[in-house]
Amino acid sequence: MTWLTVDPGEAPLVVSLPHTGVEIPDDIAANLVSPWLARKDADWWVDRLYDFAHDLGATVIRTAISRTVIDVNRDPSGASLYPGQTTTELCPTTTFDGEPLYRDGMAPDAAEIDRRRVAFFDPYHAALTAEIARLRESHRRVVLYEAHSIRSLVPRLFDGQLPQFNLGTNSGGSCDLVLTTAVEAACDGSGHSRVTNGRFKGGWTTRRYGQPALGVHAIQMELACRGYMDDPATPPTPDTWPSPYRPDQAAPLRAVLSEVLSACMAFARDPA
């Protein structure tokens, strides 16, 4: 499967990149309002931001398929991760800003959603499951790190400017407090803003795989894009979004993220 990349490592850490893809099959693209809208909410450049992860020994799993096709970080049953709050579906029909993604009458029906789940969602999670199981054979603990990003200002989803670092642990249920504290310390040492279990508490992957009693600890990192690219202060347009990856801007953030991933591995390897 050319759209699914699994880069195995031997450290007790799996880095999941579920939203960096922008590929859209032609049969689906034909039903969309525009290619730009369909790719607008990608986690832009996050795969480049974390391109050092495998050098640390982590296993990296990435889908090249756009989240507009299917969001592999949503509950496959269709249940909302945030009841009562605005969110997008397993197969999104609107952007984060509420713009329709599909032309009238062309949104996916139940059969089409199921087809996409079988084609893309299930293989992604089969790869995650297999890699976690492989690493558990040689490590007492394994950390699953969900890497995400989003624009700093999305009024439909949250008020005001999002903190730079947004940690999600399913309100403490998906990983040990020791791991959360270590990741928080790495973020707080940067001097940038941080919140834990704020607007983003971890998506379906964090909640599904985070089973501390079974040795699997899951944590989600939602970054504000401004740490590594120009983040528009006004609603984005095709002329302003996505803005380019800024290596100089990203360098300090990458240093912090390297500390974060190292903290994850140190926790997993701690014999205590």
Side-chain angles (χ1 to χ4, degrees):
M1 289 177 284
T2 58
W3 58 269
L4 179 62
T5 303
V6 179
D7 198 358
E10 298 305 322
L13 174 64
V14 176
V15 175
S16 169
L17 301 171
H19 292 154
T20 61
V22 295
E23 293 182 9
I24 302 171
D26 290 344
D27 60 329
I28 296 173
N31 298 327
L32 295 168
V33 172
S34 82
W36 178 75
L37 282 176
R39 296 179 172 94
K40 181 181 177 184
D41 297 331
D43 290 3
W44 287 103
W45 318 130
V46 166
D47 49 334
R48 184 170 177 181
L49 187 67
Y50 284 95
D51 65 9
F52 61 88
H54 186 67
D55 292 339
L56 297 178
T59 294
V60 181
I61 300 178
R62 176 181 182 267
T63 172
I65 295 295
S66 168
R67 69 186 299 161
T68 289
V69 175
I70 192 163
D71 189 336
V72 296
N73 196 35
R74 291 293 182 268
D75 190 323
S77 75
S80 175
L81 296 174
Y82 296 98
Q85 295 180 283
T86 300
T87 188
T88 51
E89 311 100 314
L90 179 65
C91 292
T93 55
T94 64
T95 68
F96 291 161
D97 298 303
E99 300 139 310
L101 287 168
Y102 289 88
R103 295 185 290 113
D104 288 348
M106 303 306 291
D109 59 16
E112 172 62 10
I113 291 170
D114 190 60
R115 184 189 71 82
R116 297 184 196 181
R117 181 186 59 76
V118 171
F120 303 113
F121 185 101
D122 291 353
Y124 190 82
H125 285 281
L128 273 180
T129 299
E131 289 303 304
I132 291 170
R134 176 181 68 84
L135 293 170
R136 280 287 287 123
E137 290 179 355
S138 54
H139 298 282
R140 187 171 67 91
R141 294 170 174 162
V142 172
V143 174
L144 171 60
Y145 180 93
E146 275 278 296
H148 297 261
S149 75
I150 192 170
R151 286 179 283 130
S152 300
L153 301 170
V154 187
R156 184 168 174 259
L157 297 186
F158 49 82
D159 296 329
Q161 186 182 72
L162 196 71
Q164 179 62 77
F165 299 103
N166 299 266
L167 306 183
T169 67
N170 194 23
S171 298
S174 68
C175 70
D176 194 291
L177 179 60
V178 173
L179 173 59
T180 304
T181 301
V183 173
E184 288 174 337
C187 296
D188 294 347
S190 71
H192 291 290
S193 54
R194 186 269 306 167
V195 68
T196 300
N197 293 312
R199 175 60 178 87
F200 300 101
K201 301 179 187 297
W204 186 79
T205 302
T206 300
R207 303 179 196 198
R208 165 66 178 82
Y209 293 94
Q211 302 182 61
L214 299 180
V216 181
H217 300 257
I219 189 166
Q220 177 175 298
M221 175 70 81
E222 186 86 52
L223 297 169
C225 290
R226 64 181 180 273
Y228 63 93
M229 62 191 293
D230 295 335
D231 197 346
T234 56
T237 70
D239 293 329
T240 63
W241 191 257
S243 57
Y245 181 80
R246 303 289 189 192
D248 292 345
Q249 196 170 321
L253 185 62
R254 279 165 58 92
V256 177
L257 295 174
S258 181
E259 291 183 25
V260 165
L261 296 191
S262 295
C264 291
M265 289 187 288
F267 164 79
R269 289 172 169 146
D270 189 342

